[in-house]
Amino acid sequence: MSVSSFTERALADSLKKLMTTYPINKIRIKMITDDCGLTRHTFYNHFQDVYDLLGWIYKNEIIEDLEKYCDLTHWKKGILLVLQYTLDNRTICLNTFRSLGRDHLESFLYKVFDRVLTGIIKDITQNMNVDENIKRETADFYANAMMGVFIAWLKQGVKEDPVIIANRIEKMVKGNVTRLMEEYNKS
């Protein structure tokens, strides 16, 4: 791990630790740097502000090995990984959701769901001739729909079992994407 990565990870770990106790809008850079033993100058060498650091956390904590779940056979396991990550980091995710940092969480979720759906659509259409714009619009539509289900789960305080949420998403997606791709198949 490079020195830069080590520093960024230390700052991120401190922010996550502080977010278990304080709302993000009450966390100051000094609190973060005091917690991890770094200077304000070091913080500003890596991030513009607390929300920039929060964005880094979501960009860099994308669930490991998610790529292997971005296909028609395994996508539900990928969704369960995202749900489990949220459950494991419940306080931090809810703190972010209820703050000005919500955009970072929503951007993170959209990118994850879009990657999963793009993989599903790629598998479905491997022997089809479907316009790339249709594929992109479909992935975008269903990624936003998944985000809607996910955000409703967050609004309810992450109380429902992740398996129930994954099953709800599966009902919404299963078969519908395949039928849509078949409908637009030009071959």
Side-chain angles (χ1 to χ4, degrees):
M1 183 182 286
S2 71
V3 172
S4 181
S5 297
F6 179 79
T7 302
E8 290 163 343
R9 174 59 38 212
L11 292 165
D13 289 344
S14 290
L15 177 59
K16 287 173 65 176
K17 178 180 164 189
L18 291 165
M19 285 178 72
T20 62
T21 309
Y22 302 97
I24 190 153
N25 63 334
K26 301 289 184 196
I27 297 172
R28 303 292 174 247
I29 292 166
K30 182 169 177 19
M31 295 166 71
I32 296 167
T33 56
D34 285 352
D35 182 75
C36 65
L38 297 170
T39 65
R40 285 179 68 83
H41 180 73
T42 301
F43 180 94
Y44 285 115
N45 283 337
H46 297 272
F47 303 104
Q48 293 177 353
D49 58 23
V50 174
Y51 291 101
D52 189 30
L53 172 56
L54 181 65
W56 184 90
I57 290 170
Y58 284 113
K59 284 178 193 157
N60 289 280
E61 288 198 355
I62 293 178
I63 292 72
E64 291 181 32
D65 301 326
L66 184 64
E67 277 313 309
K68 67 182 175 186
Y69 300 111
C70 294
D71 61 39
L72 190 57
T73 307
H74 303 101
W75 70 271
K76 188 176 175 185
K77 287 181 184 177
I79 299 302
L80 277 167
L81 280 176
V82 175
L83 293 164
Q84 192 60 51
Y85 172 87
T86 304
L87 195 58
D88 293 345
N89 295 280
R90 182 176 193 255
T91 304
I92 294 159
C93 290
L94 288 173
N95 189 339
T96 303
F97 179 70
R98 296 177 181 133
S99 76
L100 294 175
R102 181 176 176 165
D103 287 347
H104 292 295
L105 180 61
E106 288 181 0
S107 176
F108 163 75
L109 293 172
Y110 177 83
K111 287 175 185 170
V112 169
F113 294 145
D114 184 68
R115 273 179 37 201
V116 169
L117 284 155
T118 299
I120 291 170
I121 291 168
K122 181 180 176 187
D123 278 4
I124 291 170
T125 61
Q126 65 186 354
N127 295 318
M128 294 182 185
N129 183 15
V130 179
D131 184 274
E132 290 301 317
N133 288 330
I134 297 293
K135 293 179 190 179
R136 175 82 315 259
E137 289 170 2
T138 303
D140 180 61
F141 178 83
Y142 281 98
N144 279 300
M146 286 179 167
M147 251 181 53
V149 171
F150 194 89
I151 287 170
W153 185 55
L154 288 171
K155 284 181 179 177
Q156 295 167 358
V158 191
K159 292 179 182 162
E160 265 185 302
D161 184 320
V163 173
I164 293 170
I165 303 302
N167 288 341
R168 187 173 301 138
I169 291 171
E170 182 181 36
K171 284 180 200 171
M172 182 175 56
V173 173
K174 192 174 184 177
N176 291 331
V177 175
T178 302
R179 281 190 294 280
L180 190 59
M181 293 301 105
E182 288 170 349
E183 182 179 324
Y184 285 102
N185 185 9
K186 297 176 188 174
S187 56

